[in-house]
Amino acid sequence: MDLNTIQTPALLLDLNKFTANCEFMKDKCSRLGVQLRPHLKTGKSINFAKAQMTSASGPATVSTLAEAEYFFAHGVNDLIYAVGISLGKFDRVLALRSAGCDVKVILDNVETAVMFSQYCDQKKVPCPVLIEIDCDGHRSGVKPDSDDLIEIARAIKGEAYFAGILTHAGDSYKCVGEQACQKAQENERDSLVRCADRLKKAGFECRIISAGSTPTAVFAKSWEGVTEVRCGVYCLFDLVMAGLGVCTKEQIALSLLVEVIGHQKEKGWVITDGGWMSMSRDRGTSAQAVDQGYGVVCDISGKIYDDLIVGSANQEHGIIVRRDGSLIDPKDFPVGTRLRILPNHACAMAAQHPQYFVVKDGKIDAIWNRIYGWQPKELSL
Amino acid sequence: MDLNTIQTPALLLDLNKFTANCEFMKDKCSRLGVQLRPHLKTGKSINFAKAQMTSASGPATVSTLAEAEYFFAHGVNDLIYAVGISLGKFDRVLALRSAGCDVKVILDNVETAVMFSQYCDQKKVPCPVLIEIDCDGHRSGVKPDSDDLIEIARAIKGEAYFAGILTHAGDSYKCVGEQACQKAQENERDSLVRCADRLKKAGFECRIISAGSTPTAVFAKSWEGVTEVRCGVYCLFDLVMAGLGVCTKEQIALSLLVEVIGHQKEKGWVITDGGWMSMSRDRGTSAQAVDQGYGVVCDISGKIYDDLIVGSANQEHGIIVRRDGSLIDPKDFPVGTRLRILPNHACAMAAQHPQYFVVKDGKIDAIWNRIYGWQPKELSL
């Protein structure tokens, strides 16, 4: 089984690049004296987790309880479920805790804090809770200066106990270049430090002060006052990150192997079997300075064709065009030619596939399975 | 297990609507005297197939060879793999045929016709081949008046044998309203009839003359000269189809069940646990007259809130906003509230989930599993 014979479309992981990306972030956090708590939502694979984490049991971050259950079953014990907890998931979280998994939850409002505290008391299961901080208006969380912050901390009580604060500088995905990312990182750090101070004055000690996003983690100069950094997509990188200047295109460890199935000569199109189902519908570079379409085209070895992108896509068809609109000569890419497509968004492309083909020095070295979905493993009516 | 207790996000299939949609298309094709060959790429589930097909063994259409293998294992025998065949898939197709599956392939160029014919001869496995026609410039296929058409037919020989023609009026997805869709359908039909005539004069009889797309199939007045109709998303419908006037929002049979996890009061946002990972990144309505964001919001029973859409999304967060930008009062949707989101594109939303919760009269009636991916079931290095 090699790159010329595996069925296409196929998701390829460049092991050397992936390992280098993982090591870079471990080193970076270590140098800044902060714990890395990698986000496992990008890979959704225990093989990824083992390369990303600083120990086999964690710490790590997950985006679903299905991930938490899967990684716990594979020995990862120290987890944060980094999406606001709500009523329908209380039982499932406490089941994990009762089974010995040290999963921590986050929330950003008094109502949930009250409900969750009562639930933990009723079930007699202790659970650490972090308050989510909104450092940049991106989505969830309480404002660092809001009165709600202390109120929420007070509402977490009984078996549920206050353990710290967490933020995600989601708006750093709009920052271009080192300076802008550093500014976002300073704001992320400052917001957390300010909250920790306010909480301390109110009598709440933050054991965990958790920040994290790939653009801020890559360029951080200091995490003083922060205990840990969560980031995920750095292990693969992608065209969105390259567009922000957070990585180069050459550092991107994920690609889609496709095969040319035909052409439209007059239009200069090359048509492949890699459609949006295998690339994802993510068009994250469309708002950036350089729109990469559905992805940048490489040859089978991964060498980038700087002038070629996937210009459009149907479910199982990708249409490769030249950026400048000039025609591609079909003879340059005859039917059967294999190419690789770099992803706009690695988390989104990977999610379309049950497995990674791990490529080392041009050869397929392993197959790594990944999980998907939100439901418990055993599901019946 | 009911809609208040299943884990969210969860993919819901409204059984009554789904069944009505399937029956509508069976009736429509039957009345027009044309065979329905439903596309199974939307559902990717044998339960879907059984409701869509006119017999347990087909005919049906698939978009991947993984689908072909899965449906064949479940007794569906008469299949068209409706993506241009290319070198890397020859072996897999012939393995299916040798196992007794009557899978037909399509192609649109002489090079592939020559290579595939040689391959079938070499393996001594007969295989019917359709020529793909490009009726509207959408993606693959030969132009109806192109000289290539007859040349390709001539190149299909030996064990590979010419069986007919196929087209997909993909540009009908840009047609709005009955008249525009009918015009697209007439063009689709005319293109095929013209090609079949040209081929007949050259000595090639078309046993199969295959058309199909949901907008053209819904509004067709005549399929004279066409032997079969392939369409897929009609079984679910979605907001893109509603935007074209092909269905009403009330006919949409698929939705995502989500739970409110928080609010941003000052912004008037309601935040849910349904992000783009569970909705897909599809923004197919963004180019339509009414942009539905990431989807239209309904209550837990499916009643539509016409003023609410999912305005933006992160991986596991959906942000519900009011269309007119006015603020949503958090009291109207307290944390824990369950809502449904109608999909922009049903094929894309469904693809993010391993299973459907089948809902009949407000109760969960069954769980239907679905497949994903492109690789053979048994995969090892």
Side-chain angles (χ1 to χ4, degrees), chain B residues 256-369:
Chain B
L256 185 73
L257 185 71
V258 301
E259 186 164 294
V260 174
I261 64 170
H263 305 87
Q264 290 289 4
K265 283 175 212 173
E266 300 105 72
K267 293 174 175 165
W269 290 355
V270 175
I271 301 179
T272 79
D273 60 2
W276 58 254
M277 186 63 86
S278 56
M279 296 187 294
S280 92
R281 268 289 194 203
D282 198 287
R283 289 282 290 104
T285 57
S286 65
Q288 295 190 330
V290 179
D291 184 343
Q292 308 286 11
Y294 279 93
V296 168
V297 182
C298 310
D299 72 10
I300 192 172
S301 77
K303 195 172 161 286
I304 293 168
Y305 293 109
D306 256 323
D307 56 336
L308 300 181
I309 59 170
V310 182
S312 60
N314 291 171
Q315 186 159 336
E316 298 291 344
H317 295 78
I319 299 178
I320 294 176
V321 297
R322 220 185 283 281
R323 280 182 203 275
D324 65 6
S326 65
L327 307 188
I328 303 174
D329 186 340
K331 288 192 205 76
D332 293 342
F333 301 97
V335 286
T337 304
R338 292 193 162 202
L339 299 166
R340 292 198 205 182
I341 312 299
L342 297 180
N344 277 325
H345 188 165
C347 306
M349 179 187 275
Q352 303 306 107
H353 298 262
Q355 69 281 107
Y356 304 87
F357 289 92
V358 181
V359 179
K360 195 177 169 185
D361 307 324
K363 292 198 168 58
I364 298 173
D365 193 57
I367 295 169
W368 289 357
N369 293 321

Side-chain angles (χ1 to χ4, degrees), chain B residues 243-259:
Chain B
L244 304 181
V246 171
C247 66
T248 64
K249 288 203 278 282
E250 285 71 19
Q251 286 175 285
I252 299 172
L254 194 77
S255 62
L256 185 73
L257 185 71
V258 301
E259 186 164 294

Side-chain angles (χ1 to χ4, degrees), chain B residues 2-23:
Chain B
D2 64 40
L3 293 182
N4 288 295
T5 58
I6 56 170
Q7 289 294 296
T8 54
L11 189 68
L12 305 185
L13 177 73
D14 184 308
L15 188 61
N16 292 340
K17 291 181 183 182
F18 170 72
T19 307
N21 294 342
C22 290
E23 292 307 310

Side-chain angles (χ1 to χ4, degrees), chain B residues 36-167:
Chain B
L36 174 64
R37 180 187 286 279
H39 211 314
L40 307 183
K41 74 177 176 126
T42 303
K44 300 209 186 200
S45 160
I46 186 62
N47 306 86
F48 265 65
K50 284 177 180 166
Q52 286 182 273
M53 297 186 302
T54 51
S55 102
S57 61
T61 313
V62 292
S63 71
T64 70
L65 291 177
E67 289 167 33
E69 288 158 358
Y70 163 80
F71 288 113
F72 176 58
H74 285 85
V76 187
N77 185 55
D78 176 0
L79 293 172
I80 291 179
Y81 167 49
V83 176
I85 191 74
S86 67
L87 201 58
K89 301 192 181 81
F90 288 177
D91 236 4
R92 198 168 173 189
V93 162
L94 296 195
L96 268 165
R97 288 204 63 85
S98 299
C101 176
D102 181 18
V103 62
K104 291 156 275 289
V105 302
I106 70 170
L107 51 80
D108 70 355
N109 59 81
V110 172
E111 300 89 308
T112 305
V114 169
M115 284 191 290
F116 188 64
S117 297
Q118 287 172 351
Y119 202 85
C120 291
D121 283 354
Q122 189 191 320
K123 297 284 176 181
K124 298 190 174 58
V125 179
C127 184
V129 178
L130 309 183
I131 299 177
E132 185 175 11
I133 310 298
D134 177 21
C135 68
D136 60 7
H138 184 64
R139 58 178 185 220
S140 301
V142 291
K143 298 277 172 300
D145 302 311
S146 151
D147 293 337
D148 287 358
L149 179 65
I150 311 297
E151 263 195 80
I152 297 169
R154 287 198 182 114
I156 301 165
K157 56 190 175 189
E159 296 286 2
Y161 58 94
F162 175 77
I165 52 179
L166 168 148
T167 198

Side-chain angles (χ1 to χ4, degrees), chain A residues 173-174 176 240 243-244 283-293 344:
Chain A
Y173 278 57
K174 296 175 195 154
V176 180
V240 166
L244 304 181
R283 287 284 289 103
T285 57
S286 64
Q288 294 191 331
V290 179
D291 185 342
Q292 309 285 12
N344 277 324

Side-chain angles (χ1 to χ4, degrees), chain A residues 60 69 91 93 135 150 160 172 183 186 201 225-226 231 235 238 252 264 283 285 303 331 355 377:
Chain A
E69 287 158 358
D91 236 3
V93 162
C135 67
I150 311 297
S172 68
K183 216 173 145 185
E186 283 160 21
K201 278 179 197 144
V226 167
C231 45
C235 66
D238 53 29
I252 299 174
Q264 289 291 1
R283 287 284 289 103
T285 57
K303 193 171 162 287
K331 288 191 205 78
Q355 68 283 108
K377 208 176 167 189

Side-chain angles (χ1 to χ4, degrees), chain A residues 1 5-10 41-42 44 63-65 67 82-89 92 108-109 111-112 115 132 134 137-141 143 148 259-267 269 271 273 276-278 281-282 314-317 319 335-336 338 345 347-348 351-355 357 364-367 370-376 379-381, chain B residues 1 5-10 41-42 44 63-65 67 82-89 92 108-109 111-112 115 132 134 137-141 143 148 259-267 269 271 273 276-278 281-282 314-317 319 335-336 338 345 347-348 351-355 357 364-367 370-376 379-381:
Chain A
M1 188 185 271
T5 59
I6 55 170
Q7 290 295 295
T8 53
K41 73 178 177 124
T42 302
K44 299 208 186 201
S63 71
T64 70
L65 291 177
E67 290 168 33
V83 176
I85 191 73
S86 66
L87 199 58
K89 301 193 181 80
R92 198 168 173 188
D108 71 354
N109 59 82
E111 301 90 307
T112 305
M115 284 192 289
E132 186 176 10
D134 177 20
H138 184 65
R139 57 178 186 219
S140 299
K143 299 276 172 300
D148 287 358
E259 186 163 294
V260 175
I261 63 170
H263 305 87
Q264 289 291 1
K265 284 174 212 174
E266 301 105 72
K267 292 175 177 166
W269 290 354
I271 301 179
D273 61 1
W276 58 252
M277 187 62 85
S278 55
R281 267 291 195 202
D282 199 287
N314 291 172
Q315 187 159 336
E316 298 292 343
H317 295 78
I319 299 178
V335 286
R338 293 194 161 202
H345 188 164
C347 306
Q352 303 306 107
H353 297 262
Q355 68 283 108
F357 290 92
I364 298 173
D365 192 58
I367 295 169
R370 44 171 291 143
I371 60 156
Y372 79 134
W374 292 264
Q375 302 301 321
L379 189 66
S380 59
L381 279 186
Chain B
M1 188 185 272
T5 58
I6 56 170
Q7 289 294 296
T8 54
K41 74 177 176 126
T42 303
K44 300 209 186 200
S63 71
T64 70
L65 291 177
E67 289 167 33
V83 176
I85 191 74
S86 67
L87 201 58
K89 301 192 181 81
R92 198 168 173 189
D108 70 355
N109 59 81
E111 300 89 308
T112 305
M115 284 191 290
E132 185 175 11
D134 177 21
H138 184 64
R139 58 178 185 220
S140 301
K143 298 277 172 300
D148 287 358
E259 186 164 294
V260 174
I261 64 170
H263 305 87
Q264 290 289 4
K265 283 175 212 173
E266 300 105 72
K267 293 174 175 165
W269 290 355
I271 301 179
D273 60 2
W276 58 254
M277 186 63 86
S278 56
R281 268 289 194 203
D282 198 287
N314 291 171
Q315 186 159 336
E316 298 291 344
H317 295 78
I319 299 178
V335 286
R338 292 193 162 202
H345 188 165
C347 306
Q352 303 306 107
H353 298 262
Q355 69 281 107
F357 289 92
I364 298 173
D365 193 57
I367 295 169
R370 46 171 290 143
I371 61 156
Y372 80 134
W374 292 264
Q375 302 301 321
L379 190 66
S380 60
L381 279 187

